[in-house]
Amino acid sequence: MDHAKINNKTTIRLRGQIERITFVNEDNGFTIAKVRVFGQDDLVTVTGTLISPTPGEVLEMQGEWVMHPRYGEQFKIIDCKTAIPATIYGIQKYLGSGLVKGIGPVMAKRIVKKFGKDTLDIIEEDPDRLMEVEGIGKKRIEMIKEAWKEQKEIRKVMLFLQGHGISSGYATKIFKQYGDRAIQIVTENPYRLANDIFGIGFVTADSIAFKLGFPKDSQMRIESGIIYVLQKLANEGHVYYPYKGLIKKSIKILDVDRDIIETALTSLTLKDQIVIKDLGEDSKSSGETKAVYLSMFHLCETAVAEKLISLLNAPKGIRKADSKKALEWVQKELALSLAEKQTKAVLASMENKVMIITGGPGTGKTTIINAILKIFLKLTDKVMLAAPTGRAAKRMSETTGYEAKTIHRMLEFSMREKKFKKDELDPLECDMLIIDEASMIDTVLMYNLLKAVPPEATLILVGDVNQLPSVGAGNILKDIINSNILPVVELNEIFRQAKESKIIINAHRINKGQMPLFDLKDQANDFFFFEQNDPQKLLEIIVDLVKTRIPKKFAFDPINEIQVLSPMRRGIVGTGNLNTRLQEALNPSGKTLSRGTKKFRINDKVMQIKNNYDKEVFNGDMGQITDINHEEQEVTVQYDRNYPVHYDFSELDEIVLAYAVSVHKSQGSEYPAVVIPLVTQHYILLQRNLIYTAVTRGQKLVVLAGAKKALVMGIKNNRTQRRYTNLANILRSLSHQADHDSCFTITCQQA
């Protein structure tokens, strides 16, 4: 131990080897680690920003001793350099930490046993000698060579990035995206990171740019900032945003004058990155006369309207059948008598090119799908069924006995071309397409779907318009219904069998703004409420319900059959904290991978949180971890399909624990049992359609737990958050134009 100076401040020098990592903040690289300081017996707790800390690594640190009120004496790092581990133990720990792909703890032990202190020199200078170690072949040596080379490059990138305010957690991703051009690209245009790298936002990119000397009013910054604001708004569901509102938000985030923002908006328009559109006469009363779109969303929204009108007016590809006879026949086939609204829906499907069927649980949507399917299969063999999620498609297959696919799979995404194969040039081979859970379809997915629907096909959209809208931008189902240009059959009668379910009865009560009914004495009850106003005590109740009480009473598997649905991510009973506690309770031990504060274990329930077309897994897909391979640096997840999906360690920010998920992410899925925490701290998101959506996810059991006041607040709040979309207006306008053109054609023919 000696003394040095940094910025005229006297510091202490320590040299030691990392024994274990206690904590890493992935956002800023702040680390707490236990270090074996050379010349001292006891482990020392060190804190500070470290570059990808690895057990076994030797650190040359400068800093100062501080006294933490709770954890005692710690060494606070001010400056730090890494050195090659000197001891055999250190080398073994260093290699076995997962630093190098192809070398796990077991293989590290064998290599170090063979080569001792020369191990790292041999990997660097003569890696082919690793063949001398049992279990290492040519394939693994090539993997180790590549990983070792990549690690050296990543370290160089990390040193640069950390010096400019970005955490080491993203270094691998940046290196994978840009390769050895990473430093050059970040130096020239740091704002590219926000668009190119999942998880890095504009704020981080802006911080790097500032440290690189980019001025606050640089055009690159202002244009990137506006695109960031529009993307953030799209993530909140908006297809466009009002011009004045966008300027206000941009000024707040970018801290520049209005005229600079307006100049950048003009520039972005000329570059075709955004579209500024006049909203017309209808919007003037609200003061929102101009809309600003990201170009992609303008294209998609306009094309959705055009394609729906075109599809509506194109001739049917299926021969016309006698509706009355078909109706009589299908009722005999199904051995039931259809209700008035169900009959109306079946007849409408035979008479129209495009239609919508909407209704809550227990109103007979599945019966109608089965009836329509049976009739159309008599008329054509080109019938397709699809849904937005894997679970919804699987359920559709089970209830119809006919194959249903996810929309993504049906449209056949090409990994090579990075687009869907099915489009206008290669349309779906179908005369009839039925889409279930249509409330989940966002604007971009609807655009890609309609591109692939052949003009002669009949399209039927089935969904519950009272549920939450799609996770992505838009409000497709509601906008189409509100346009009044398509036939819509709304189902509101609960059928006799469904009336036996308190879940269905209460879902409809909630939808009407009424409090659900609770009867704890009813032994056949499937709907419960546990009142607890204290969030900390509520957390313990939820863990107990999931781990013990529900499995004991109803025999549900706590991991695979019980799902906790929370309105929010943050807070004591937000999804983040619930997942940590439920993982401890339900899957406390076994093979574990720690990535900063995250822990993944074999058998953990996880969810994909972004669309990954290469892996064919999509936002909201849920699966279970089946393997963690430290040598290959891979985590394997099994989703609802026949093949496993592999994640490199650097891709693990694409999945999260899913013992608890947000209500939004649960759309399209149903679970045997759901537990829904409700606290007044969630008041911002407590809305009737959110509680209704959560309750309708439960098949056999729904348990609400929390403050009755929060439940009342949510059910009374029917003011859903506005989404800025223009689809309904465009549809009406195009429909009137089509009617006008049709009348004009008839007049000309008569003349």
Side-chain angles (χ1 to χ4, degrees):
M1 187 188 308
D2 59 12
H3 294 76
K5 281 199 172 186
I6 296 178
N7 297 330
N8 295 320
K9 184 176 182 180
T10 302
T11 61
I12 296 164
R13 278 189 179 146
L14 291 182
R15 194 168 191 271
Q17 182 174 285
I18 298 176
E19 280 292 313
R20 63 179 179 270
I21 310 297
T22 307
F23 170 80
V24 176
N25 184 327
E26 294 288 349
D27 292 332
N28 57 22
F30 176 78
T31 304
I32 301 172
K34 291 289 187 181
V35 173
R36 187 172 298 284
V37 173
F38 301 141
Q40 293 188 28
D41 294 331
D42 297 330
L43 294 179
V44 170
T45 300
V46 303
T47 67
T49 303
L50 296 178
I51 302 170
S52 191
T54 307
E57 205 171 5
V58 173
L59 303 179
E60 292 175 353
M61 303 166 282
Q62 282 182 247
E64 58 187 354
W65 293 104
V66 295
M67 183 60 70
H68 191 281
R70 185 173 174 187
Y71 299 110
E73 193 174 51
Q74 298 178 340
F75 187 75
K76 182 182 174 184
I77 296 171
I78 297 171
D79 188 40
C80 179
K81 292 177 183 175
T82 62
I84 295 171
T87 66
I88 289 175
Y89 170 75
I91 293 168
Q92 182 181 314
K93 195 147 191 164
Y94 182 70
L95 281 181
S97 66
L99 179 78
V100 181
K101 204 167 193 174
I103 302 177
V106 175
M107 193 57 70
K109 194 173 182 179
R110 286 187 201 162
I111 293 170
V112 173
K113 187 177 179 182
K114 177 72 179 173
F115 298 116
K117 287 187 179 181
D118 298 328
T119 296
L120 299 182
D121 291 334
I122 284 166
I123 293 173
E124 172 73 29
E125 295 164 12
D126 193 7
D128 290 330
R129 281 196 62 193
L130 293 172
M131 288 276 282
E132 297 171 28
V133 178
E134 183 191 348
I136 295 186
K138 286 184 179 178
K139 187 179 176 183
R140 192 185 290 265
I141 285 177
E142 289 307 310
M143 188 191 295
I144 292 168
K145 280 181 185 176
E146 189 61 34
W148 188 257
K149 180 184 171 188
E150 191 172 286
Q151 270 301 318
K152 286 167 69 179
E153 290 294 328
I154 289 171
R155 285 272 167 157
K156 191 166 74 175
V157 173
M158 278 179 178
L159 284 165
F160 169 80
L161 292 174
Q162 194 186 29
H164 294 91
I166 191 167
S167 76
S168 57
Y170 293 122
T172 307
K173 287 194 158 206
I174 293 169
F175 181 76
K176 277 190 172 180
Q177 179 75 25
Y178 304 131
D180 55 13
R181 295 173 59 236
I183 293 173
Q184 178 194 337
I185 287 169
V186 172
T187 306
E188 289 174 359
N189 183 3
Y191 295 103
R192 277 187 62 176
L193 293 172
N195 295 323
D196 296 346
I197 313 291
F198 175 68
I200 294 181
F202 173 80
V203 175
T204 303
D206 199 31
S207 170
I208 296 167
F210 177 74
K211 289 180 180 178
L212 287 168
F214 283 79
K216 191 168 75 170
D217 60 353
S218 77
Q219 187 156 324
M220 187 187 292
R221 176 179 185 263
I222 306 306
E223 290 181 8
S224 297
I226 290 169
I227 296 296
Y228 160 74
V229 173
L230 283 168
Q231 286 171 338
K232 199 162 178 268
L233 291 165
N235 291 338
E236 292 172 13
H238 304 293
V239 177
Y240 76 85
Y241 207 72
Y243 185 86
K244 291 178 183 176
L246 177 65
I247 286 178
K248 278 184 184 175
K249 285 185 177 289
S250 299
I251 289 171
K252 187 176 179 182
I253 285 172
L254 297 170
D255 190 26
V256 293
D257 294 337
R258 180 190 178 95
D259 59 338
I260 294 174
I261 302 289
E262 289 186 323
T263 301
L265 284 167
T266 303
S267 173
L268 288 167
T269 305
L270 293 171
K271 292 176 182 176
D272 292 328
Q273 288 184 259
I274 65 169
V275 173
I276 300 175
K277 184 177 177 180
D278 189 343
L279 289 170
E281 293 295 321
D282 295 338
S283 65
K284 288 190 176 175
S285 59
S286 65
E288 297 162 0
T289 56
K290 285 197 288 187
V292 186
Y293 290 82
L294 287 167
S295 293
M296 178 187 68
F297 288 113
H298 181 259
L299 165 72
C300 291
E301 186 176 66
T302 306
V304 164
E306 289 171 348
K307 288 177 185 302
L308 274 173
I309 297 294
S310 175
L311 191 62
L312 192 62
N313 293 318
K316 253 181 184 280
I318 303 171
R319 65 182 172 86
K320 193 165 176 62
D322 187 318
S323 301
K324 190 177 179 183
K325 285 183 179 176
L327 197 63
E328 289 173 2
W329 172 81
V330 81
Q331 289 181 98
K332 285 179 184 174
E333 284 288 305
L334 294 171
L336 53 78
S337 179
L338 294 172
E340 182 186 347
K341 288 272 183 85
Q342 291 178 313
T343 299
K344 186 180 175 184
V346 174
L347 291 174
S349 74
M350 299 178 69
E351 293 160 8
N352 296 281
K353 279 293 301 309
V354 188
M355 70 166 294
I356 289 172
I357 300 167
T358 182
T363 57
K365 294 194 298 293
T366 301
T367 301
I368 293 170
I369 292 173
N370 280 323
I372 293 170
L373 188 59
K374 278 192 175 294
I375 290 170
F376 276 85
L377 284 171
K378 281 289 181 182
L379 302 173
T380 176
D381 58 355
K382 293 181 180 178
V383 174
M384 299 184 88
L385 307 183
T389 67
R391 282 175 179 255
K394 187 179 179 184
R395 194 170 65 248
M396 201 179 186
S397 296
E398 290 167 353
T399 55
T400 61
Y402 194 85
E403 184 190 18
K405 296 180 179 178
T406 63
I407 296 173
H408 288 91
R409 191 174 290 276
M410 180 179 71
L411 297 179
E412 297 178 23
F413 187 79
S414 165
M415 287 187 279
R416 187 171 58 83
E417 298 176 46
K418 301 295 179 190
K419 66 174 189 175
F420 291 110
K421 288 182 183 177
K422 294 297 177 184
D423 56 16
E424 302 99 330
L425 300 175
D426 183 16
L428 298 166
E429 291 185 25
C430 67
D431 292 323
M432 151 71 77
L433 173 60
I434 304 175
I435 304 289
D436 199 8
E437 296 284 358
S439 64
M440 292 185 65
I441 302 175
D442 62 38
T443 304
V444 175
L445 184 57
M446 190 67 174
Y447 165 67
N448 283 295
L449 173 65
L450 290 175
K451 276 204 302 181
V453 177
E456 69 276 7
T458 295
L459 174 65
I460 298 176
L461 301 173
V462 183
D464 186 347
V465 76
N466 292 309
Q467 285 186 24
L468 289 169
S470 57
V471 174
N475 207 346
I476 291 290
L477 189 65
K478 192 169 188 178
D479 283 349
I480 296 174
I481 291 172
N482 289 345
S483 72
N484 294 316
I485 66 151
L486 294 183
V488 177
V489 177
E490 186 174 356
L491 308 169
N492 42 32
E493 180 188 348
I494 307 175
F495 289 96
R496 183 177 58 79
Q497 190 176 355
K499 282 181 180 175
E500 296 171 10
S501 166
K502 294 283 195 305
I503 296 172
I504 290 173
I505 290 168
N506 282 331
H508 286 271
R509 286 182 66 85
I510 290 165
N511 196 35
K512 291 174 186 173
Q514 301 169 352
M515 280 290 283
L517 302 170
F518 307 110
D519 186 0
L520 291 172
K521 294 174 184 174
D522 183 356
Q523 291 301 306
N525 202 356
D526 57 7
F527 198 101
F528 297 91
F529 179 69
F530 290 88
E531 189 167 4
Q532 176 53 252
N533 294 319
D534 183 329
Q536 194 61 53
K537 290 177 181 174
L538 177 60
L539 176 65
E540 303 308 322
I541 287 172
I542 290 167
V543 172
D544 186 43
L545 282 166
V546 175
K547 183 182 179 183
T548 308
R549 293 173 71 173
I550 293 174
K552 187 176 178 182
K553 183 173 174 63
F554 297 96
F556 289 129
D557 179 88
I559 293 179
N560 298 312
E561 295 183 306
I562 304 173
Q563 185 62 54
V564 179
L565 304 177
S566 180
M568 290 187 80
R569 189 167 63 86
R570 293 187 176 89
I572 294 171
V573 288
T575 58
N577 194 45
L578 279 165
N579 272 315
T580 302
R581 287 299 310 278
L582 288 166
Q583 184 191 43
E584 288 170 7
L586 303 177
N587 193 26
S589 59
K591 202 172 193 180
T592 302
L593 171 67
S594 296
R595 308 302 284 173
T597 54
K598 279 185 185 177
K599 279 191 176 71
F600 291 113
R601 293 193 182 101
I602 290 178
N603 297 323
D604 270 340
K605 181 159 64 172
V606 293
M607 174 181 275
Q608 175 80 13
I609 58 169
K610 66 166 282 198
N611 289 341
N612 188 321
Y613 294 101
D614 292 341
K615 298 183 189 298
E616 291 191 63
V617 285
F618 304 101
N619 192 352
D621 283 357
M622 288 176 71
Q624 200 162 10
I625 293 177
T626 56
D627 187 37
I628 296 172
N629 189 321
H630 287 276
E631 289 190 3
E632 301 290 331
Q633 291 190 16
E634 269 188 357
V635 170
T636 304
V637 179
Q638 187 70 48
Y639 292 97
D640 279 342
R641 60 204 65 174
N642 296 326
Y643 57 89
V645 176
H646 303 287
Y647 293 85
D648 188 87
F649 282 4
S650 66
E651 299 172 317
L652 290 177
D653 57 353
E654 291 188 17
I655 60 172
V656 294
L657 292 175
Y659 299 101
V661 301
S662 70
V663 179
H664 243 124
K665 293 282 190 187
S666 73
Q667 283 178 270
S669 298
E670 286 185 352
Y671 313 94
V674 297
V675 178
I676 306 162
L678 295 168
V679 292
T680 51
Q681 287 91 330
H682 292 167
Y683 73 93
I684 295 172
L685 290 177
L686 287 176
Q687 295 169 349
R688 186 183 300 171
N689 63 349
L690 179 134
I691 296 173
Y692 172 76
T693 301
V695 166
T696 55
R697 299 308 91 204
Q699 293 171 309
K700 299 174 182 176
L701 178 68
V702 170
V703 179
L704 303 179
K708 192 165 276 186
K709 184 181 177 183
L711 180 59
V712 173
M713 282 167 61
I715 292 171
K716 282 186 176 178
N717 180 13
N718 201 29
R719 298 186 307 277
T720 55
Q721 186 183 3
R722 176 171 181 184
R723 288 189 169 200
Y724 287 103
T725 68
N726 202 32
L727 180 60
N729 289 330
I730 300 171
L731 280 168
R732 280 192 289 266
S733 175
L734 290 175
S735 179
H736 293 152
Q737 181 65 45
D739 290 344
H740 175 270
D741 291 346
S742 175
C743 292
F744 182 74
T745 304
I746 291 166
T747 305
C748 288
Q749 287 171 346
Q750 287 171 344

